[in-house]
Amino acid sequence: MKKEKIKEEKVIDDKMSSNLQEPSLGYGVFFQPTKGSLYTYKDYLTWADGKLRELYNGMVMTLSAPSSRHALVTSTILSNISWFIKKRKGKCKVVHAPFDVRFPKEGQTADDQITTVFQPDICVICDLSKIDERGCLGAPDLIVEVQSPSTAKFDMDQKFHVYESSGVKEYWVAFPKEKAITVFILQENGRYDDGTAYEYDVKIPVHIFQGLEIDLKDLFED
């Protein structure tokens, strides 16, 4: 399952109030503010209704809770990585959603300047200075996204480009239905490779950790 060029979908352009109150949305639907206004992380912090959200270039998307298959795949990958780090007494931290990762542009790290905030299913952070009380500021070393019907295109297009341009060293996209994972590795030129697809009962090497492999057979067992 190689990455394909996917055209960015048009978003809903709607009226909004002057205080940038986030509108009522369906899952997987983007809301784009009126011209001249963008949602920022500062706005994001004011939405205290318990909904799961992500920001992409000032647009907001409401997320749905993961399916049981999605959750099981996530927990298996996370437990394998956590066990490896603990065994090796490593300093890296592995966390799962909901966990905010802020992606600032050109060093603009203030809350009212950040317009992209994602909640990766799993992220591994080895530069612990990036972790604060509200999540992670800057690119994790490894990110895993487990695909669902509402996020499939977004994971392989917009998120792909954000993770690539931000310097995420390793990006995994898991396909539970197909029982497969595609792994993208950041190259010296700052671009991801074409991706390596792993299927069936092979073992996937975790490139940021020498000696760690995850068995697909264990990951997708019924």
Side-chain angles (χ1 to χ4, degrees):
M1 296 182 184
K2 302 293 185 181
K3 177 186 176 292
E4 297 179 354
K5 179 65 178 176
I6 302 172
K7 292 182 180 179
E8 184 171 348
E9 298 179 347
K10 293 183 179 179
V11 296
I12 300 172
D13 189 6
D14 200 356
K15 294 181 180 179
M16 67 178 208
S17 62
S18 60
N19 63 357
L20 288 176
Q21 183 176 357
E22 192 267 335
S24 178
L25 295 175
Y27 294 132
V29 178
F30 272 117
F31 177 87
Q32 181 176 2
T34 54
K35 187 176 181 180
S37 299
L38 290 175
Y39 288 121
T40 68
Y41 183 58
K42 182 178 180 180
D43 303 313
Y44 179 96
L45 292 173
T46 69
W47 302 328
D49 56 7
K51 291 182 181 180
L52 299 177
R53 296 181 176 86
E54 291 183 321
L55 286 179
Y56 171 65
N57 286 344
M59 297 178 291
V60 61
M61 183 171 71
T62 303
L63 306 177
S64 60
S67 66
S68 58
R69 177 184 291 181
H70 182 291
L72 288 170
V73 170
T74 301
S75 63
T76 302
I77 295 175
L78 186 143
S79 62
N80 274 269
I81 297 176
S82 296
W83 174 85
F84 182 86
I85 294 173
K86 183 176 181 180
K87 183 179 179 181
R88 298 295 181 91
K89 296 182 179 180
K91 295 182 179 179
C92 299
K93 301 296 182 183
V94 54
V95 294
H96 62 82
F99 180 81
D100 290 341
V101 180
R102 290 159 277 160
F103 292 92
K105 293 181 180 179
E106 300 176 354
Q108 296 180 330
T109 60
D111 291 349
D112 60 356
Q113 295 174 324
I114 295 173
T115 58
T116 297
V117 183
F118 292 149
Q119 292 191 2
D121 290 309
I122 297 173
C123 56
V124 179
I125 306 160
C126 296
D127 182 354
L128 302 187
S129 68
K130 295 180 179 180
I131 300 175
D132 58 25
E133 291 295 325
R134 295 181 294 183
C136 177
L137 178 60
D141 293 80
L142 181 149
I143 284 178
V144 179
E145 297 285 8
V146 181
Q147 286 213 333
S148 60
S150 64
T151 65
K153 290 183 178 181
F154 190 59
D155 291 342
M156 293 295 283
D157 191 4
Q158 289 95 334
K159 281 192 173 182
F160 179 97
H161 292 297
V162 170
Y163 295 158
E164 180 183 64
S165 63
S166 299
V168 177
K169 297 176 183 177
E170 190 167 350
Y171 178 34
W172 289 29
V173 184
F175 304 87
K177 184 178 180 180
E178 294 81 5
K179 298 184 177 181
I181 288 181
T182 298
V183 176
F184 300 97
I185 303 299
L186 197 67
Q187 306 300 297
E188 291 184 0
N189 63 0
R191 304 293 297 274
Y192 282 133
D193 60 16
D194 291 333
T196 302
Y198 297 88
E199 300 178 345
Y200 307 111
D201 59 352
V202 300
K203 293 183 178 181
I204 305 177
V206 180
H207 292 79
I208 65 168
F209 295 128
Q210 185 176 2
L212 174 58
E213 294 181 325
I214 295 179
D215 195 329
L216 266 181
K217 184 171 60 177
D218 295 335
L219 185 60
F220 294 118
E221 64 181 356
D222 295 329

